[in-house]
Amino acid sequence: EDDSGLTSPAASSSMSEASSVDMNQLPPVVRGGLLSQLRRRLGGQAEEVQEDFTKPEIGLFTSDSFLEKKVSRSSVRRCAGCGASVGRGLLGKGFGARFCEYTRLYYCHECHANELFVIPARVLHRFDIKPRPVCREAFAYLEDLYPQPIFSASGDLRPRALALLPSLPKLAALRRQGKTLREYLALCPNFPSNRCSQEERVQAASLGGRNHLLTSEDMLSLQDLVELDKDALLRQLEAAFAPWILHVKTKCLLCTEKGFFCEVCRSREKLYPFELEGVASCEDCGALMHPRCKATRLAVEGCGLCERRRRQEQRRREEEEEAAERKG
C-alpha cells in the first residue's frame, strides 16, 4: 500500500496470484516461498529464506546424548523442514515454531502437525514409551521403522531400560517355545488340516509380519518393545501358541508320538521340548526329564540317554579293537 492508501500494483498482482492457486495443494517449499514473497510485498516482518538452506537428513537417532540436544527457540528463524520463516510476528509462517522430539529441531505448522510417536532413544535408554510430538517427516519415518526388528535386546537396551523390563527372560523363553512348536507343525501333515500344502502349513504356523519372534531370541522391533509394557506382547504370544500346543499334545496322534519319556524315572508321561514348565534337561546330552527327577535322582541313577551313549561308544571301541587284532 502506498502513501495514498492504495494497494500497489505488485501487491495486488501477488494477492491475485495467491488467490487463484489452491495453496494447500502446493508442496511446503513452494507454498512457503509464495507466502514469504506475499508477506514481504505486504510489509510483513518475516525474513527472507536464505538460498543456501540445507534440509537436515532424518535417520535413526538412538544416542542418549542426542536427547539433550535442543536449539534455543529464540534463535529459530527458519523451519527445519522447508526453510520457510517461522515465528516472526503474526505474519510469520507457522506462528510459534513447533519442536520435534525426534529430530530436536523446530518446524513450521505445515511441516509439524503435532502428530505423536514414541521416541526410539527414550525407549532404548529409559523405557519411556510415552508418545511425543514429532514433525510430519519424522512421523512417516518412525511409522515405517515401527515393525522392523532392528534392535538387539542384549546390545541396544541400556541398563536403565533393562531394569524396567523384568519380562525379557520370559519373552526369550516364549520365543524358544514358538520356534520349537513351529518345527513340529511344519513337518506335520495334519496341520492345520491334511488337505493343506507345505506352504499353507508353514504359513499357518507363523506370526504374520512378526516371524522374527520365532526365528531369533534377541532382535526386537520398536513395536515389540512398546508392547512389552504391561506384558501385552507376552499375552499375544501365549494366545498365538495355545492352539499349536493343543494340536501337538492332544489333537494329532503323529505329533503326540513325538514326545519323550523322562530319562531318569522312565514314566509313561510324555514330555515335550517346547514346554516351559514341568520339563528339565540333562546338562550333558539335552535329554528331557522331570525337574523333580533331575533334582533328586539324576546324580544317583544317572541319565538314561547318557548311559546308552556310553555303552554304544564302549561297544564301538571294542569292535574296533577286535577288528585290529584280526588284521594283525
Side-chain angles (χ1 to χ4, degrees):
E1 187 174 337
D2 57 23
D3 294 339
S4 63
L6 299 176
T7 303
S8 68
S12 177
S13 174
S14 296
M15 287 187 290
S16 176
E17 292 173 4
S19 62
S20 64
V21 177
D22 186 352
M23 302 293 282
N24 291 325
Q25 299 301 316
L26 297 175
V29 174
V30 176
R31 184 166 57 247
L34 288 177
L35 290 175
S36 294
Q37 292 179 30
L38 181 58
R39 293 187 195 107
R40 289 197 299 273
R41 292 180 180 181
L42 292 175
Q45 297 179 359
E47 63 185 16
E48 297 182 8
V49 176
Q50 300 177 19
E51 294 181 358
D52 62 349
F53 168 72
T54 301
K55 182 179 178 180
E57 293 290 334
I58 290 185
L60 181 59
F61 307 136
T62 59
S63 170
D64 190 37
S65 60
F66 190 76
L67 295 175
E68 308 303 324
K69 174 187 173 184
K70 188 171 182 178
V71 179
S72 172
R73 185 166 185 167
S74 62
S75 65
V76 175
R77 294 294 180 268
R78 291 188 297 163
C79 168
C82 66
S85 175
V86 294
R88 300 284 290 173
L90 292 175
L91 290 177
K93 183 183 179 187
F95 174 63
R98 289 174 175 168
F99 183 67
C100 174
E101 291 281 353
Y102 183 65
T103 64
R104 315 299 294 174
L105 298 171
Y106 284 93
Y107 295 79
C108 68
H109 288 204
E110 296 290 341
C111 296
H112 193 319
N114 274 333
E115 295 171 296
L116 304 177
F117 218 99
V118 293
I119 310 301
R122 291 186 177 275
V123 177
L124 297 175
H125 290 270
R126 311 171 188 180
F127 196 59
D128 177 356
I129 61 172
K130 177 183 177 180
R132 298 172 186 275
V134 297
C135 66
R136 292 182 187 273
E137 188 176 4
F139 184 88
Y141 176 83
L142 293 171
E143 192 174 40
D144 181 65
L145 177 84
Y146 195 59
Q148 298 180 28
I150 61 174
F151 301 112
S152 165
S154 60
D156 292 322
L157 286 171
R158 310 323 307 161
R160 183 174 172 184
L162 288 171
L164 298 173
L165 286 169
S167 58
L168 272 180
K170 176 69 178 295
L171 175 62
L174 278 171
R175 296 173 81 168
R176 289 193 296 271
Q177 180 184 50
K179 181 179 180 180
T180 307
L181 275 168
R182 195 184 192 196
E183 292 170 354
Y184 267 81
L185 300 177
L187 298 175
C188 176
N190 298 323
F191 181 82
S193 74
N194 56 14
R195 296 181 298 276
C196 290
S197 66
Q198 179 65 18
E199 183 179 352
E200 291 172 326
R201 193 169 295 118
V202 172
Q203 182 62 31
S206 71
L207 297 176
R210 303 177 81 172
N211 279 335
H212 62 276
L213 293 172
L214 300 176
T215 58
S216 167
E217 293 181 26
D218 189 56
M219 300 309 292
L220 293 165
S221 67
L222 186 58
Q223 179 181 8
D224 298 331
L225 290 167
V226 170
E227 291 180 359
L228 271 174
D229 183 48
K230 300 179 181 178
D231 295 338
L233 180 58
L234 303 187
R235 291 193 296 273
Q236 291 177 38
L237 292 179
E238 289 170 345
F241 297 159
W244 298 1
I245 295 173
L246 187 65
H247 173 89
V248 174
K249 296 182 66 175
T250 306
K251 290 186 174 182
C252 178
L253 289 177
L254 292 177
C255 290
T256 302
E257 289 303 312
K258 292 180 181 179
F260 298 84
F261 298 120
C262 175
E263 288 290 350
V264 177
C265 71
R266 302 301 297 173
S267 73
R268 305 308 296 171
E269 178 188 4
K270 291 286 184 68
L271 304 177
Y272 297 89
F274 55 76
E275 293 181 290
L276 298 182
E277 298 177 354
V279 175
S281 61
C282 174
E283 302 295 339
D284 296 323
C285 69
L288 300 185
M289 58 192 67
H290 298 110
R292 63 179 181 275
C293 292
K294 181 176 182 179
T296 61
R297 298 172 58 178
L298 179 61
V300 176
E301 301 178 32
C303 168
L305 181 57
C306 286
E307 179 61 23
R308 291 195 298 276
R309 287 179 174 177
R310 186 190 65 76
R311 289 199 298 265
Q312 289 172 359
E313 179 62 22
Q314 183 177 358
R315 189 181 307 116
R316 184 187 64 80
R317 287 198 301 267
E318 291 173 351
E319 291 173 353
E320 289 177 349
E321 291 174 358
E322 291 175 0
E325 290 177 359
R326 286 195 296 269
K327 288 181 179 180

